[in-house]
Amino acid sequence: MGYKFATKAIHAGQHADPTTGAVMTPIYQTSTYQQAAPGDHKGYEYSRGTNPTRKALEDCLAALENGKYGLAFSSGMAATETVLKLLRPGDEVITGDDLYGGSYRIFTKVFEHYGIKFHFVNTSKPEQISKKINSNTRLIWIETPTNPTLKLADIAIIGGIAKAAGVLFAVDNTFASPYLQNPLDMGADIVMHSVTKYIGGHSDVVMGALVVNDKELYDELFFYYNACGGTPGPQDSFLVLRGIKTLHLRMKAHCENGRRVAEYLKSHRKIAKIYWPGLEDHEGHDVAKKQMRDFGGMVSIVLKDATLQDTFKVVSSFRVFTLAESLGGVESLINHPATMTHGSIPKEAREKVGVVDNLIRISVGVEDIDDLLVDLEQALA
Ligand SMILES: *Cc1c(COP(=O)(O)O)cnc(C)c1O
């Protein structure tokens, strides 16, 4: 579809209901579908595999990522797991050393047991990826910007490396959302989302998604999606379709508030280090400028000379920001990666990539910026 982002966010995959004319996609709360004779049906047989509400969402997600095929899953991890099921014992994966904690966990604690080898490198240095490629390499999996230190990986360069080596290239696009960046346009084969975050946007649904362009790859992923069954129900699919209608409005506000928070915090006396891709001196700022349309609402900070106890005191003293896991909702959240989202990563491995005890991750919401800045000031005082 040739429409622009905001139009697709509101309309893609959706049509007035043929029976009633309902403008909003109905919640097809059904597990099964009538067949006139065996095999004579309208394309829907059983809701683990296909459901009209989910289908509308999948088509919308595909359109937003400029892809042909979308698949929705019951969580981001179920989406990730489905990609990993393409692998066989002996296959190798090259991935980032600064990943979402749950991705690190599923790689090392689940799929290593099935004979798959993972190499963890700094993906902001593409040559580190090239060096690990061998005849067993089957997949390159990256996040950009990374969680929580917002490192940038050059999608087009890594896409070129993947193509030359004939390996699959998947990008976890959760932090950017399709509003800020479309990896399929830059050489990725698979885009993965934790829909739970910006796409859903209201902290009321856990869901994941994959978007691809290649029909054969889609068919293979669809096989595992249906065979293993990590698919979401129609109610959650509806909530996400509803959330997506304001994705562009929310993202614009997240980016604006993110900028204001980053600019306020960068010279704050209590802060030793700040990570936000929009800052000129952020490592990877040039890559962010090249491949993202704006810089997002995720900001991480390292407190100056703060112990774990000092840090706990700060993260527990907010009034507008809520101390909680997750990100990307309309409400501002504070997170302590070392003990919360990244608690499953060994201390040494996480500290190597900057996830220190005095690091705080902020998901800047879309409340009034003045209230957010006052809250930051009092919590850091
Ligand atoms: C949250 C998150 C995931 C996992 O998604 P769930 O929906 O929680 O299963 C994966 N990657 C990133 C970057 C995330 O933030």
Side-chain angles (χ1 to χ4, degrees):
M1 182 161 50
Y3 293 116
K4 299 236 164 100
F5 193 90
T7 313
K8 291 194 284 191
I10 294 167
H11 296 291
Q14 294 151 81
H15 317 275
D17 178 49
T19 14
T20 63
V23 168
M24 293 305 299
T25 305
I27 303 167
Y28 286 93
Q29 195 73 49
T30 186
S31 60
T32 190
Y33 307 83
Q34 185 187 36
Q35 309 196 8
D40 181 4
H41 53 71
K42 298 181 162 67
Y44 296 96
E45 295 167 81
Y46 187 61
S47 281
R48 185 182 62 237
T50 42
N51 175 278
T53 316
R54 193 199 305 150
K55 179 73 167 69
L57 170 63
E58 291 173 336
D59 289 350
C60 184
L61 289 167
L64 293 181
E65 281 293 6
N66 300 331
K68 289 205 183 95
Y69 308 101
L71 290 166
F73 294 86
S74 54
S75 68
M77 294 321 300
T80 302
E81 185 197 22
T82 303
V83 174
L84 296 172
K85 283 175 179 152
L86 300 173
L87 307 176
R88 296 292 175 267
D91 284 349
E92 297 188 13
V93 179
I94 303 169
T95 187
D97 58 7
D98 185 28
L99 291 173
Y100 171 69
S103 304
Y104 179 84
R105 182 174 57 195
I106 198 172
F107 292 168
T108 57
K109 297 260 167 70
V110 182
F111 279 86
E112 270 185 5
H113 297 180
Y114 294 96
I116 293 155
K117 191 168 173 187
F118 294 86
H119 300 277
F120 299 93
V121 304
N122 179 350
T123 52
S124 54
K125 304 215 163 22
E127 64 279 10
Q128 290 201 8
I129 294 177
S130 304
K131 267 197 220 142
K132 290 285 179 200
I133 289 185
N134 64 46
S135 57
N136 294 325
T137 311
R138 179 89 203 282
L139 172 71
I140 296 172
W141 177 284
I142 68 161
E143 274 176 40
T144 181
T146 63
N147 176 11
T149 57
L150 303 160
K151 287 197 196 83
L152 276 293
D154 191 314
I155 300 172
I157 290 182
I158 298 169
I161 293 171
K163 189 158 207 150
V167 307
L168 278 176
F169 176 33
V171 178
D172 179 341
N173 203 27
T174 302
F175 261 46
S177 89
Y179 176 80
L180 294 180
Q181 135 189 312
N182 298 116
L184 295 178
D185 293 344
M186 297 180 254
D189 299 302
I190 303 173
V191 172
M192 175 265 165
H193 278 286
S194 170
V195 170
T196 316
K197 315 295 168 51
Y198 285 110
I199 293 179
H202 296 74
S203 307
D204 51 6
V205 174
V206 171
M207 197 187 286
L210 299 176
V211 181
V212 302
N213 266 322
D214 183 78
K215 174 78 165 70
E216 225 172 282
L217 180 58
Y218 168 75
D219 288 344
E220 207 179 339
L221 290 166
F222 183 86
F223 171 80
Y224 291 110
Y225 159 105
N226 181 51
C228 303
T231 52
Q235 178 85 38
D236 281 0
S237 301
F238 174 85
L239 282 171
V240 173
L241 269 174
R242 187 185 214 265
I244 285 182
K245 289 181 193 292
T246 55
L247 180 60
H248 52 297
L249 305 173
R250 289 186 281 110
M251 288 310 298
K252 193 159 179 276
H254 282 297
C255 291
E256 273 167 25
N257 279 358
R259 170 177 299 283
R260 292 286 300 277
V261 165
E263 279 174 355
Y264 167 73
L265 291 175
K266 78 177 183 213
S267 49
H268 197 285
R269 66 199 183 282
K270 292 282 180 72
I271 286 167
K273 202 167 174 52
I274 176 160
Y275 302 102
W276 185 64
L279 294 172
E280 298 263 314
D281 57 359
H282 183 81
E283 202 189 314
H285 174 66
D286 291 342
V287 177
K289 261 200 334 211
K290 185 176 96 173
Q291 68 190 20
M292 296 172 72
R293 297 179 196 100
D294 202 337
F295 303 107
M298 296 303 298
V299 181
S300 293
I301 51 175
V302 177
L303 299 179
K304 204 179 274 175
D305 304 324
T307 62
L308 183 63
Q309 274 63 41
D310 298 333
T311 311
F312 272 13
K313 190 161 167 278
V314 170
V315 296
S316 309
S317 58
F318 284 89
R319 292 168 191 156
V320 179
F321 289 80
T322 304
L323 179 64
E325 306 229 353
S326 202
L327 62 108
V330 288
E331 59 288 303
S332 293
L333 299 182
I334 289 283
N335 169 58
H336 183 246
T339 57
M340 294 168 68
T341 46
H342 292 63
S344 57
I345 305 178
K347 188 173 164 79
E348 204 178 305
R350 68 171 162 80
E351 290 198 336
K352 215 177 88 193
V353 294
V355 185
V356 288
D357 284 348
N358 46 342
L359 177 83
I360 297 174
R361 189 187 78 186
I362 307 170
S363 174
V364 182
V366 301
E367 299 94 338
D368 192 289
I369 188 62
D370 294 341
D371 294 329
L372 296 182
L373 296 182
V374 167
D375 198 30
L376 281 163
E377 180 63 44
Q378 69 79 23
L380 289 167

